[in-house]
Amino acid sequence: LLYMSLLGYEVNFGHREAVELINSTKYSEKQIGYLAVSLLMEEDSGYMKTVLSFLRRDLHNGNECNACLALNAISNICTREMAEGLTQDIVVQLLSPSASMFVKKKAALCLLRLLRKFPDSVNAHQWAGRVVPYLGHRDIGVTQSVVSLVTGLAQQFPEETRKAASFAVRRLKSLVIDNEYAIDYVYYKVPAPWLQIKLLRLLQYYPAPESPEVRSILLSILRHIIDVSQDTPRELQQMNAQYSILFEAINLGIHLDVDQGLMQECAVVLGRFITSRETNVRYLGLETMAHLAAYIDNLDSIKSHQAVIIQSLRDRDVSVRRRALDLLYSMCDVSSAKVIVSELLRHMAIADVALREEMALKVAILTEKFATEYSWYVDVMMRLVSLAGDHMGDEVWHRIVQVILGNEELQVYACKISLQTLKAPVCHESAFKVSAYVLGEFGHLIANASDSAPIDQLKALQSKMTSTSMSARAVALTTVGKFINLFPEIKTLCLRVLDRYRGALDAELQQRACEYYALGTLESDDLLPTVFEEMPPFPERQSALMSRLLKRESDTEDQRTWIYGGRDMNRDRRGLATGTASSGKEGSSQDLASTEAPSTPTNANTAALLVGAEPDAEKQDAVDDDAQPEDEMPMDESVAKSRRHYARLLWENDGILYDGDEIQVGLVAQYKPPAGRIGVFLGNKAKAPIYNISIQATPSDASKLTIQPASGQDTLPETLMPLAQARIFFDANCLQVFTSAPLLRITYTVAGAPTVSELQLPVTVAHFMDPVTISVSDFFARWKQLGDTGIGESQNVLKSAFLSTDSAALEWLRSVVGGMGFALIHGADPDPNNIVGVGIATTQAGRFGCLLRVEPKPSHGLTRVTVRATNAEVAQSAGSNIKMVFESR
């Protein structure tokens, strides 16, 4: 069973036998039992209470092996019930004088695991202070485990662990100054290097000690570590251990800021490390120097290495290049801003794709923060969006517009540059949006200048309009509408542009064009100036660029005590870090490489028919002449009708779910991932009234999807007359990726006969998808990455004879892909008929990206649909949804 589980199969039997093995007196049987329970059993298993009682018994039976097996199992299973019921028992094992050192170490690490996953269930404030003295335990292994636990506690319970700093200082003194340690813990002449590193890191969560004696001891420890590092180690292992301690000591010295002379000495030492031949040493040197730049008063000692740091942007290792970027960002000030920003812009054209977004954000922040000339700010930002527009979000151009709106001195120059940008042979889409917006607001300021007449502005805008995306055209249409108000002399030309888009296929463009055209053709001119009034300056608030940059920092189990940036950004972060610790849930990458899909929905039938999905077709490498999808099973007409209704609701948010002889069930849904609201409309088609109506929605797994009736709505009527309609709304919340669609159960009585209808709700994890626009190069890079890793892929070759007979079939395909939450990436595929889409499915547990390619072959009557994601279930969900839509057409 364990082998089957390791192969990826779900094993939902044999659990009772595993629990019986836990109760065995033989170590080998108990070991296998705990292993099986850890791997096979779900948190909501009915056997979990029995397992809890066995765990508690093994913790207290005095057998070291049994206690260690129990602690391992608790760490691996780690349910909330265990955190609430067994925490005190584990604390007893840690603090018990009779427990072995081995048990104490495992107990400390088990508590850390529970603390990270369920910080609100372990009642740490009750026992945190009792654990701190174990930092001075005679056994270094126990101390090392306890240090990890106390580091986790210090981030949430600083008051209860405030004595940990003095214990840590004394233990460091015994190791570094007094040389009190067992010979077994010496690693290449370095005493207990891992313990030293953890103690130095723990001290960074506390302010500088107030006691002069402790302060003096701590300073002597730091100086001793720095002095020892001056001797070049002969062996690589010794160098790694020694330098790891040194860098952590420098980080502590920077954090405590105990001696400015020591800080300058650290800068000199780090300057030597950033020129080292060892990649790891260069990396740590750059990162630690960025930390130093975040706190030091005088940056001159760091600026002396500016040329070396800029050269590190071209290092062969991408991690070193990233740290060099962080350091330049942290050390930048008014005097060095122009040089650093210029170098970053020069490097942006050859920088890694993975670095460009972060680099663009930091250039934008530095330019805004240290700009001393308005012209320099506008020039840099317009060049930035032209160079890196494909690699950054809309926040950058939004911020440029906000700054220009709030500074009158910028507006005239910004208009001139915007017009020049539109007249250039090549204009990036983000630069086009900025230019269009700025001219729409302030184009009248340069209307009297040569080559800047209103007609010139309109022609420049039109020349680039047809080659941009729908969102950019929407901004341009608003600008054309504002031109009607600003420049009456070109009103006729503007109306002609708007009239052209009144029949656009895109609903947003069509609506804007129709509304602006209607405003422009009103007989009265009173309304037009009011609607197109100049936008007021935006209120002062934190820059969205800074918020986005901070979100890019990776989540780690231990919180950082500083952030990349200058001294002013870290001033409020001095002292003890008291933020909320990680919840312990598995982190999820926000890269477009992770999504899960609902598996085939289960079929059930009472009075109504459930709509079930067919299994996926076999994966095929290409759509060849002889490639054929699997034959479909013949189905009853009513089943086919139900499948069509269900399939349509997979890509449309409203429609009929079931249409029977007595009732008709309609659905309307609105999703704002990870939440959604689903409205169910019940219509009476019978000739008699319907009584005792009940409508319930039940998820297949309540731990992954919750569906509850919305609050504040009217109750269902007791009687529903013929042709009348009742409605009820449900709030859905996607907690994790789920694999089965929820069930809608409708009960009612008509003509004295009770009836039950069970329908499958068209709610899959793919419904919690948001469209995301990325560049063509990013798409294919991530597409290849997902294909190489093989994390999740769904591929179907589907019959699509309608492609050759229906002229609107390709447009219908695009509507289906867009309706399923994918953003269409135009021009990504050499074949214009192929469709490429990107989306991110959002759950409370994390966000999962999904990439899609639809390759129709009208001549063959076949279409290949390929979905790739970092999570197989999301890929299967999106693939099976599209397959059902094809089969139902």
Side-chain angles (χ1 to χ4, degrees), residues 10 596-602 613 646 699-701 704-705 734 736-742 760 763-766 871-874 876-877 880-881:
E10 183 177 356
E596 294 203 45
S599 63
T600 304
T602 57
Y646 184 92
S700 58
D701 189 345
K704 297 181 178 179
L705 175 72
C734 185
Q736 301 179 43
V737 173
F738 57 95
T739 56
S740 297
Q760 199 166 12
V763 178
T764 67
V765 71
N871 187 292
E873 291 180 341
V874 175
Q876 291 296 329
S877 175
S880 62
N881 286 358

Side-chain angles (χ1 to χ4, degrees), residues 846-864:
R847 304 179 71 202
F848 307 92
C850 194
L851 308 181
L852 168 74
R853 291 186 73 184
V854 180
E855 301 166 88
K857 298 292 182 184
S859 58
H860 299 77
L862 298 173
T863 299
R864 182 174 68 180

